[in-house]
Amino acid sequence: MVAIGKFDGVHLGHQKLLNRMREWQRQGLTAVVFTFDRSPASIFAPGTQAGELTTCAEKRVLMEALGADILLEFPMTLQTAATPADDFVREVLVRQLNAAVIVAGEDLSFGHKGLGNRQLLEKMAKPFGYQVEIVDKLSATEILPGYDLNTAVSSTLVRELLEEGKMKEVSALCGRPYSVEEFVIHGKHLGGPVLHMPTINIDWPEGKLTPPYGVYYSQTLLGGKRYASITNVGCKPTVAKEQKVLAETYLYGFDGDAYGEKAEVIFYGYKRPEQKFENLDLLREHMRRDIEQGRAYWAANSQ
């Protein structure tokens, strides 16, 4: 069977669909997740896409955890995007993947100009000998009381909440907190010797959507341990001139050397926007304040 979709964010709506995939899997079918290696917007409107909620690497880990036997990342190019929708069904889903069952969301679109949809899948099902199962959207009000019943859990909604810094709501809709994972790199070496508050730096993953630049209550997985932490996302305008986005993190109870190690920073709450200070003394004072308030936050929210 084939579960088809973009699956950006792998949120609870996607997970509802993937639960159906697992039910077919328990009946003996191989569970294939068919997705795309990039957003169509990156092909047709380069520069307009703000980023994805999940990188390809993150999606692979999540899909494996959710039970997929095979994850197929279909290459999104001008040529493949121009494939007529009925040819896509016939050649890719039927001939190459030998789909016995196709599971999809009700707003599915694929093929040239996005003309492929649930109606086309259903129309072609009998002639080509496969079964179609369309999974209804999950209402956001089931997860976040107060939302309109007609508001569905979607990548668009998750993206909007993330761009507003509403990390708790993002966590609720995705079933997990938003996070980034990269190798620890060298920064300006100001945190320890100058500011007396040593931090670790990781590059923000290319193509991944950033929340508002600012300070966040976080946890960090490093060297097999989980640390309470506090993280600044942004370009460090007080001390840096480049526009590279970094996640700079202070870990409570860590005083080792982490350069070259992989760290995962997990975001739990937005504290304040990123600021440019007139001098290092003001930066040091605000960092000290952030760290103390973060310590209090984690003392009150320890799990």
Side-chain angles (χ1 to χ4, degrees):
M1 65 76 52
V2 178
I4 182 171
K6 297 185 183 72
F7 298 111
D8 186 28
V10 197
H11 53 63
L12 292 181
H14 295 141
Q15 293 174 41
K16 178 182 178 182
L17 188 155
L18 295 169
N19 285 338
R20 290 297 304 147
M21 173 195 76
R22 285 200 298 274
E23 291 182 21
W24 286 105
Q25 185 184 45
R26 284 192 283 271
Q27 296 182 39
L29 296 181
T30 300
V32 177
V33 174
F34 184 103
T35 188
F36 305 92
D37 68 348
R38 68 193 68 190
S39 164
S42 67
I43 302 296
F44 296 105
T48 63
Q49 183 77 354
E52 300 291 309
L53 294 165
T54 42
T55 65
C56 286
E58 291 169 338
K59 199 178 292 186
R60 291 166 194 153
V61 172
L62 289 167
M63 289 303 181
E64 182 178 7
L66 289 167
D69 294 314
I70 299 171
L71 173 62
L72 199 162
E73 297 170 344
F74 192 72
M76 177 62 69
T77 66
L78 289 173
Q79 182 178 0
T80 59
T83 304
D86 55 349
D87 284 353
F88 179 84
V89 174
R90 185 183 303 107
E91 296 301 319
V92 177
L93 298 180
V94 176
R95 187 177 68 82
Q96 296 182 37
L97 296 181
N98 194 30
V101 179
I102 299 173
V103 179
E106 57 187 84
D107 60 349
L108 171 72
S109 68
F110 59 89
H112 184 52
K113 295 184 178 180
L115 295 177
N117 53 27
R118 62 175 293 182
Q119 288 79 17
L120 179 66
L121 282 180
E122 291 168 343
K123 177 182 177 182
M124 298 181 70
K126 187 173 181 180
F128 287 94
Y130 61 81
Q131 183 174 337
V132 178
E133 181 170 350
I134 301 299
V135 177
D136 294 337
K137 286 182 173 293
L138 180 67
S139 174
T141 194
E142 295 184 40
I143 314 301
L144 299 172
Y147 272 78
D148 186 277
L149 282 172
N150 295 321
T151 300
V153 177
S154 67
S155 299
T156 298
L157 177 59
V158 175
R159 188 175 288 109
E160 290 172 354
L161 291 169
L162 181 71
E163 291 175 338
E164 294 172 6
K166 296 180 177 179
M167 309 310 288
K168 291 182 180 179
E169 289 85 347
V170 170
S171 296
L173 293 183
C174 291
R176 66 188 185 282
Y178 201 63
S179 66
V180 292
E181 185 175 22
E182 285 290 344
F183 291 99
V184 177
I185 60 171
H186 288 273
K188 297 291 184 180
H189 295 283
L190 297 176
V194 177
L195 299 173
H196 308 298
M197 287 168 263
T199 58
I200 64 168
N201 290 272
I202 64 172
D203 285 325
W204 193 265
E206 183 178 358
K208 185 176 175 71
L209 186 63
T210 57
Y213 291 177
V215 177
Y216 292 82
Y217 301 114
S218 62
Q219 290 185 358
T220 301
L221 300 179
L222 178 67
K225 295 183 179 180
R226 181 183 290 262
Y227 297 89
S229 56
I230 192 161
T231 299
N232 183 82
V233 175
C235 300
K236 300 198 283 189
T238 305
V239 300
K241 294 181 180 180
E242 70 270 12
Q243 294 302 305
K244 182 170 68 172
V245 180
L246 298 170
E248 180 181 18
T249 302
Y250 179 89
L251 285 68
Y252 299 97
F254 177 80
D255 59 1
D257 183 345
Y259 294 121
E261 293 191 44
K262 184 165 280 190
E264 181 180 7
V265 179
I266 306 163
F267 298 92
Y268 286 89
Y270 178 64
K271 183 179 184 295
R272 65 168 177 84
E274 185 177 54
Q275 296 173 255
K276 181 175 181 179
F277 300 103
E278 294 181 3
N279 53 58
L280 290 179
D281 287 337
L282 285 174
L283 173 61
R284 183 188 298 109
E285 174 56 27
H286 275 78
M287 285 183 65
R288 185 196 63 76
R289 192 180 307 165
D290 289 336
I291 288 170
E292 289 307 311
Q293 291 173 353
R295 197 186 307 278
Y297 174 90
W298 283 116
N301 292 276
S302 60
Q303 299 177 354

